[in-house]
Amino acid sequence: MITADRMAAVDANAAALGIPRKQLMESSGNAVARVVRESVDPGDRVVLVCGRGNNGGDAFVAARFLDAYDTETVLLGHPERIGTEIARENWDAIQHAELPTTVVGDTTDIADLDLDDVDLIVDAMLGTGVTGALREPEATAARVINESEATVVAVDVPSGVDADTGTSEGVAVDADHVVTFHDTKPGLADLDAAVTVAEIGIPAAAERFVGPGDLPSQHRAAASHKGDHGEVLVIGGGPYTGAPALTGQAALRAGCDLVHIACPESVARDVQGYSENLIVHALDGERFTPSVVEGVLDRAVEMDGVICGPGLGDHAETREAVSNFLGGFEGRAVIDADALGVVPEVDTDATLVCTPHQGELQAMGGETADDWEQRADLVAEFAGELGHTLLVKGPYDIVADGETTRVNRTGTPAMTVGGTGDVLAGVVGALLVATEPLTAAAAGAYLTGRAGEAAADARGNGLVATDLLDRLSEGFDNE
Ligand SMILES: NC(=O)C1=CN([C@@H]2O[C@H](COP(=O)(O)OP(=O)(O)OC[C@H]3O[C@@H](n4cnc5c(N)ncnc54)[C@H](O)[C@@H]3O)[C@@H](O)[C@H]2O)[C@@H](O)CC1
Ligand SMILES: Nc1ncnc2c1ncn2[C@@H]1O[C@H](COP(=O)(O)OP(=O)(O)O)[C@@H](O)[C@H]1O
Ligand SMILES: [K+]
C-alpha cells in the first residue's frame, strides 16, 4: 500500500538511482497493454482516452503495444498543452508512427466521440495528479465513458478518484479494471473493480534508502515573515562550548529563521562569540541544573522545536535537569549526546527524535549489529518499545519509528571527526519544525551526509564539522 505523495517520492528516488521516469512510463504502458490484451480479441476496437499528464503518457505508450487491435488514441486538449516532457515524447512517437489519434479540443467534440461500438476503453485522463472535481472536458468524457457499453480499464486510478481516499469530488470513471503501478493505493481498496498491481521496475532500494524524493519541499510563500520558517531552542553547553554553537548554526543552515541557545552562564560568552547569528540566553551556574528548568520550559513552549543535548556533559545534576525538562515538555525535540541516556526512563508527552551513535544506542538499552540490515531490524524494534523516532548514526544511518524504517547511505568516514553529530542534530531539529519526525530524521541524515561528502571532496579526512555548515544547503539542490 502506498500513498500518492509517497509514490512521487519513490519515483524521484528511482530516478536518482538511475531509473528515469520515462523508463517507468514505458513499463506502465506495457503493463496496461498486457491487461487490455487479456480482455479483447485481435481486431477489436480499443479507444484510449488520454489526459495531458503522465497518466495520459502511460496510454500513449500502451497504444504502441496494441498494434494488433483497432486502436484510437484520443487526447483531451491540444498537444501543445501536454504537461510533461516524457508524455510529450510518447505522444510525438505515436504521431510519427502514424498510429490513429484524435485531438479533442473542447467539450462539444467529446459528445461527438463515437464510443458505441467500442469493445474496450482505456481511461488515461487522470491518475495521482488529480486535484478537485473533474473539470471539462474530462467531466463530460467521464460521463460518456460511463454510459458506453465498453469494458473500461483505468490507468493507475479511475479518473476523478483520489488515489489516497478512494472518493471523488464530482463525477468519476466507473472502471471494470484498474491497472496500478508498483504498489496498490489506499483509494483502490473499496472500488468494485478488478485491480492489477503491475511491477514497473522500481527497486525496493527506492523505498528503503533515503533519496532526494524524501526531502521536504523548499518552497516558501512570498508573503513569509520572520519566524514562519522555524524558531528553535538549543539546550546545550557547559562544560563544552562548541557543540551547541555547531548545532545552532546547522539549524540556521537547514533553514530555521531564529535559533536560541540556552547554555550555562559559564560558557554563554564563548558560545555567543562563535556567531552573531545565534541568540544566546545564559542560565545560572556552570552546567544545566534542575534549578533553571522552569525558565527553560517557559522559553521552550514559545518555540517551534527544541534540540536538547549538545555539549551538556553527563553530570548527575544535568541528567536530572534533562529528565525534569522532558517531563514538562510537550512539543517536538531532538535529543542528542549526553541527554540520550535519560529518554528510556522518562515519561514524556514530547515528540522526540533521538540521534544516538551505536555506542549511545547501547547505553540507552538498545542493541546494534555490524550488518546494517540486522541493525535496522533491531533499531526498529527498540524505536517501537521507546515510542520515539530513532536515528542511529553510522556508515549506514538507520531511521525508524517502529512503523517505518529508512536507511541513509550518504556520508563518508571522514565524518568521524568530532562535531558532525552536533551538526546532524541541528539539521534534524530545523526540519522537525515542519516535517513529520521520521521524514525529518531521514532527510536530516541525508543532507548531513551530503554536506560531509562535499566537505570531504574539498578537505579529505581533514574535514572539520564547521566545513559542513555552508555545504548543507547544497543537499537540497539535489532534486
Ligand atoms: N509516480 C510514478 O512512479 C509513476 C507515475 N506514472 C503515471 O503518472 C501519473 C501521474 O501523472 P501526473 O503527476 O502528470 O498527473 P496526472 O496525469 O494524473 O494528472 C495531471 C494532469 O491532470 C490535470 N488535472 C488535474 N486535476 C484535474 C481536474 N480536476 N480536472 C481536469 N484536469 C485535471 C492537470 O492539469 C494535468 O494536466 C500516475 O497516475 C501514473 O499513471 C507512470 O508513468 C509510472 C510511474
Ligand atoms: N563511517 C562512516 N561513514 C559514513 N558516514 C559516517 C561514518 N561515521 C559517521 N558518519 C556520519 O557522521 C555523522 C555523525 O555521526 P557520528 O560521528 O556517529 O556522531 P557523533 O559526532 O555524535 O559521534 C552522521 O551523519 C553519520 O552518518
Ligand atoms: K486514469
Side-chain angles (χ1 to χ4, degrees), residues 357 360 393-395 397 410-413 415-417 419-422 424 448:
H357 52 57
E360 289 160 334
K393 298 173 286 194
D397 303 311
T410 66
T412 147
M415 291 172 74
T416 51
V417 68
T420 50
D422 301 317
L424 173 81
T448 306

Side-chain angles (χ1 to χ4, degrees), residues 154-176:
V155 176
D156 203 22
V157 195
S159 297
V161 170
D162 180 307
D164 292 345
T165 63
T167 60
S168 56
E169 289 184 34
V171 67
V173 167
D174 179 11
D176 300 298

